[in-house]
């Protein structure tokens, strides 16, 4: 028996990756429906060796659909997720629209799988921000061992985190630089080709950005409200793969060797940490992979119980599509959802 799954945003970066991952992991589907805006109606997307015709979200009836993987931005989600949920279809949402709603679980399966049980209040489950997801996969096992007090994180985030337009802008600007054409910035606030931009999402009143705020709020909701987090989020000219330099202060002692052993055994983590040239991971190597990679594990001699780590993951996968499919798998494994019969 399989589930009828609809992907909203199926033509986008994350939506296309969702289709790949559903197929790769053999998620039990009876049917997969590709949805996007009216602009894309009738275009084709691939699902394994099949081709799906994209339908318009606003014309689609969810009454016999079991799971909706929503990946079309916050405003689309705000409008549609509650309506879809009310029709009995469970929405797993990639946007930030419902992440901080107390009636909506925010889930990274390796971190807080049990919280998924609370989904039935709204039939919506939120997927965290890409930077938070990979950070927490690495922090959770360390927190369980030595209790994290404070985290200082600097991110190096790829342009695919800003959607198709972000990737196009890096490509177009890079080409323009090489052929000495004028370089135009549309999606990003400054030139991204051969540059870095310390600004992701909107500015908050206190001078932090919303992206930085999300890392704080989501860590508290999913891992532990007592952990203090301070973040600097930076866009870098990389197509796929977010990297993070994380400084961690613990309550209890933990050595770099202990951390390495813990992370080697931890779900979703892959340690690549040789103290030699190239003995670490870069975002290029993480693209298309499911793991959260951890390198450069070392003690911080300026703290009593401190570590530095380097964490890299494919933002379109663990940061979005893979995590959403893992949440759907969790619903199935825990028998929290049953395939619905087509409404008469
Ligand atoms: N990229 C990441 O690393 C990442 C990580 C975590 C979360 N997310 C979140 O995932 C969502 C999608 O990101 P993305 O990177 O895939 O963006 P994207 O490449 O720009 O794709 C956006 C998708 O949304 C669809 N869409 C736009 N307006 C719509 C509407 N009114 N009705 C139905 N569909 C509509 C687009 O369809 P058309 O082709 O018809 O325009 C397209 O399929 C965003 O909420 C983003 O914040 C992204």
């Amino acid at each position: 028996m399989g589930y009828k799954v609809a992907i909203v945003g199926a033509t986008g970066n994350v939506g296309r990756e969702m289709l790949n991952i559903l197929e790769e992991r053999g998620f039990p589907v009876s049917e997969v429906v590709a949805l996007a805006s009216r602009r894309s109606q009738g275009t084709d997307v691939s699902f394994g060796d099949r081709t799906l015709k994209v339908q318009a979200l606003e014309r689609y009836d969810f009454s016999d659909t079991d799971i909706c993987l929503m990946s079309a931005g916050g405003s689309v989600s705000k409008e549609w997720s509650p309506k879809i949920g009310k029709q009995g279809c469970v929405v797993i949402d990639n946007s930030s629209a419902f992440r901080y709603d107390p009636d909506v679980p925010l889930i990274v399966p390796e971190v807080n799988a049990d919280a998924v049980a609370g989904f039935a209040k709204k039939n919506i489950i939120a997927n965290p921000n890409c930077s938070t997801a990979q950070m927490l996969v690495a922090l959770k096992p360390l927190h369980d061992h030595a209790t994290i007090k404070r985290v200082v994180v600097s991110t190096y985030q790829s342009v695919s985190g800003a959607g198709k337009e972000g990737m196009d802008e890096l490509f177009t600007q890079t080409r323009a630089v090489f052929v000495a054409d004028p370089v135009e910035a549309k999606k990003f606030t400054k030139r991204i080709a051969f540059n870095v931009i310390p600004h992701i999402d909107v500015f908050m009143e206190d001078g932090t950005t919303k992206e930085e705020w999300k890392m704080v709020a989501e860590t508290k909701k999913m891992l532990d409200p007592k952990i203090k987090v301070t973040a600097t989020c930076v866009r870098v000219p990389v197509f796929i793969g977010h990297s993070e330099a994380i400084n961690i202060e613990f309550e209890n002692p933990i050595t770099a060797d202990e951390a390495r052993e813990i992370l080697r055994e931890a779900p979703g983590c892959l340690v690549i940490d040789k103290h030699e040239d190239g003995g670490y991971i870069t975002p290029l190597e993480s693209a298309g992979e499911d793991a959260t990679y951890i390198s450069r594990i070392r003690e911080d001699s300026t703290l009593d119980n401190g570590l530095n780590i380097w964490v890299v993951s494919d933002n379109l996968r663990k940061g979005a599509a893979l995590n959403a499919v893992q949440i759907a798998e969790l619903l199935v494994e825990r028998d929290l959802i049953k395939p619905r019969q087509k409404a008469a």
Side-chain angles (χ1 to χ4, degrees):
M1 200 159 45
Y3 296 82
K4 185 167 178 182
V5 179
I7 316 260
V8 178
T11 54
N13 272 346
V14 174
R16 278 179 285 135
E17 212 58 72
M18 282 169 165
L19 288 162
N20 293 338
I21 291 171
L22 282 173
E23 167 73 13
E24 276 168 30
R25 294 173 73 94
F27 187 82
V29 294
S30 58
E31 191 181 341
V32 176
V33 182
L35 303 172
S37 77
R38 264 198 292 182
R39 291 180 293 273
S40 305
Q41 194 175 354
T43 58
D44 292 338
V45 289
S46 301
F47 175 59
D49 52 13
R50 278 166 278 171
T51 299
L52 307 178
K53 279 264 174 266
V54 174
Q55 303 177 42
L57 167 65
E58 60 195 48
R59 304 223 174 107
Y60 184 73
D61 175 8
F62 282 87
S63 61
D64 67 348
T65 301
D66 302 300
I67 299 171
C68 171
L69 301 180
M70 172 72 78
S71 183
S75 56
V76 177
S77 178
K78 259 189 204 129
E79 181 186 349
W80 284 92
S81 296
K83 291 188 210 166
I84 298 168
K86 278 200 183 111
Q87 282 189 276
C89 173
V90 181
V91 179
I92 301 172
D93 181 33
N94 258 291
S95 80
S96 57
F98 296 95
R99 286 182 194 151
Y100 318 108
D101 182 328
D103 291 337
V104 172
L106 176 64
I107 303 290
V108 172
E110 294 88 341
V111 176
N112 64 339
D114 291 345
V116 81
F119 80 94
K121 284 186 193 147
K122 291 195 171 162
N123 261 354
I124 302 174
I125 302 166
N127 218 28
N129 183 258
C130 36
S131 316
T132 319
Q134 67 182 65
M135 180 171 83
L136 294 195
V137 169
L139 293 189
K140 161 77 174 160
L142 300 177
H143 184 54
D144 287 347
H145 182 84
T147 311
I148 296 172
K149 277 165 59 177
R150 179 168 184 257
V151 171
V152 182
V153 55
S154 300
T155 70
Y156 306 74
Q157 297 183 222
S158 68
V159 293
S160 58
K164 286 179 294 192
E165 290 173 7
M167 295 181 86
D168 289 347
E169 185 144 316
L170 174 58
F171 182 82
T172 313
Q173 288 185 354
T174 305
R175 192 174 49 191
V177 170
F178 277 111
V179 298
D181 271 354
V183 178
E184 247 190 296
K186 287 191 212 144
K187 179 74 183 172
F188 300 113
T189 49
K190 299 210 177 195
R191 184 175 115 180
I192 187 65
F194 308 99
N195 200 9
V196 298
I197 304 174
H199 170 198
I200 301 179
D201 210 332
V202 296
F203 274 92
M204 316 277 289
E205 265 181 23
D206 65 357
T208 59
T209 63
K210 189 79 185 283
E211 186 81 355
E212 292 157 356
W213 177 87
K214 285 173 190 169
M215 293 192 79
V216 178
E218 294 175 21
T219 300
K220 288 181 183 292
K221 181 162 174 175
M222 283 188 286
L223 187 56
D224 189 335
K226 293 199 285 297
I227 297 177
K228 292 180 183 161
V229 181
T230 182
T232 302
C233 293
V234 180
R235 189 73 71 196
V236 297
V238 165
F239 281 107
I240 293 175
H242 287 358
S243 309
E244 299 174 339
I246 310 177
N247 177 263
I248 316 159
E249 184 179 358
F250 296 89
E251 284 292 334
N252 305 310
I254 179 169
T255 64
D257 283 341
E258 283 167 341
R260 215 171 279 117
E261 283 315 306
I262 290 164
L263 291 167
R264 276 206 179 103
E265 299 300 317
C269 294
L270 200 60
V271 174
I272 302 205
D273 193 24
K274 292 189 187 145
H275 299 169
E276 60 187 38
D277 292 354
Y280 41 80
I281 197 89
T282 63
L284 188 65
E285 297 151 293
S286 77
E289 302 293 330
D290 287 350
T292 294
Y293 293 91
I294 301 124
S295 305
R296 306 287 328 277
I297 302 166
R298 61 212 190 273
E299 283 146 36
D300 174 358
S301 60
T302 68
L303 291 172
D304 283 342
N305 301 310
L307 288 179
N308 285 307
I309 60 174
W310 172 250
V311 176
V312 180
S313 197
D314 180 331
N315 52 296
L316 300 178
R317 288 194 158 234
K318 187 58 198 169
L322 171 64
N323 199 65
V325 174
Q326 286 177 303
I327 293 171
E329 289 172 348
L330 200 57
L331 292 173
V332 173
E333 280 157 23
R334 297 196 173 193
D335 218 10
L336 295 167
I337 183 169
K338 294 262 181 286
R340 300 196 285 173
Q341 296 298 314
K342 188 164 173 49

